[in-house]
Amino acid sequence: RGDLECAAAYYAALRRTPEDICAIQETIDQMRAIKQSRSLSEDQVDTLRNLSHEFHRRLVRSSKNSVLITAYENLFELLHISKQLTISNSGISYNSILAHEMILYKVIHQDCEGARTCMMEHMESVRERIEHNEGSEDHSIQVV
């Protein structure tokens, strides 16, 4: 997932359109709006999970790279399971929203290497959360 999304972030920064930027920004705005709630319902947590996934999906589509898009779509179910493992009952963390915003910032400014690096850091955070929580009795994990 990391390699695929890092490459997608690079190409999204190179090839994105104004419509792509608006679509990606929309997912971030919706995540922020839901996160404002003090206590999230199960439906809101599910919505956050779906929005986080949609952020990544829209970013991959913005790469305009048919190989990356096809690979991502073929891995959709596996990626959906990954999202379930990285989301707790408290929903998305503000750090995850900030990571998404930073990736989008780099894409907007056509900073290909910066977008790739930000995505790499984001994916590393995902990996660390999964590894940390595998050994934990409490399997709640923050969304990424």
Side-chain angles (χ1 to χ4, degrees), residues 67-81:
V67 173
L68 293 174
I69 293 167
T70 300
Y72 191 86
E73 293 300 328
N74 287 335
L75 293 172
F76 180 83
E77 272 307 310
L78 182 60
L79 295 173
H80 185 69
I81 292 168

Side-chain angles (χ1 to χ4, degrees), residues 83-101:
K83 290 288 181 193
Q84 290 176 336
L85 293 173
T86 57
I87 295 178
S88 72
N89 291 335
S90 63
I92 191 168
S93 72
Y94 280 111
N95 285 343
S96 293
I97 294 172
L98 291 173
H100 288 172
E101 288 175 335

Side-chain angles (χ1 to χ4, degrees), residues 40-65:
L40 298 176
S41 70
E42 280 187 46
D43 286 344
Q44 288 173 310
V45 172
D46 285 342
T47 300
L48 284 171
R49 182 179 292 124
N50 291 334
L51 286 168
S52 179
H53 187 71
E54 192 61 26
F55 166 87
H56 290 271
R57 186 182 228 175
R58 289 178 178 181
L59 187 75
V60 171
R61 288 179 180 165
S62 297
S63 73
K64 310 295 188 248
N65 182 305

Side-chain angles (χ1 to χ4, degrees), residues 21-36 47-48 51-52 55 58 92 94 97 100-101 104:
I21 291 168
C22 288
I24 296 167
Q25 183 66 59
E26 179 183 21
T27 62
I28 294 171
D29 293 344
Q30 290 173 349
M31 283 187 266
R32 275 200 173 277
I34 293 171
K35 187 61 180 171
Q36 299 301 319
T47 300
L48 284 171
L51 286 168
S52 179
F55 166 87
R58 289 178 178 181
I92 191 168
Y94 280 111
I97 294 172
H100 288 172
E101 288 175 335
L104 179 57

Side-chain angles (χ1 to χ4, degrees), residues 2-17 59 62-64 68 102-121:
D3 290 342
L4 187 151
E5 292 196 43
C6 288
Y10 179 93
Y11 288 109
L14 189 64
R15 301 174 177 153
R16 88 295 186 275
T17 66
L59 187 75
S62 297
S63 73
K64 310 295 188 248
L68 293 174
M102 189 54 141
I103 293 163
L104 179 57
Y105 177 85
K106 298 295 185 178
V107 167
I108 289 169
H109 290 88
Q110 296 188 298
D111 180 352
C112 299
E113 288 300 332
R116 182 193 333 238
T117 299
C118 287
M119 182 60 80
M120 189 181 317
E121 291 168 357

Side-chain angles (χ1 to χ4, degrees), residues 116-132:
R116 182 193 333 238
T117 299
C118 287
M119 182 60 80
M120 189 181 317
E121 291 168 357
H122 184 49
M123 291 292 101
E124 178 64 19
S125 174
V126 170
R127 186 189 62 74
E128 288 173 1
R129 284 188 179 131
I130 291 172
E131 286 179 356
H132 176 265

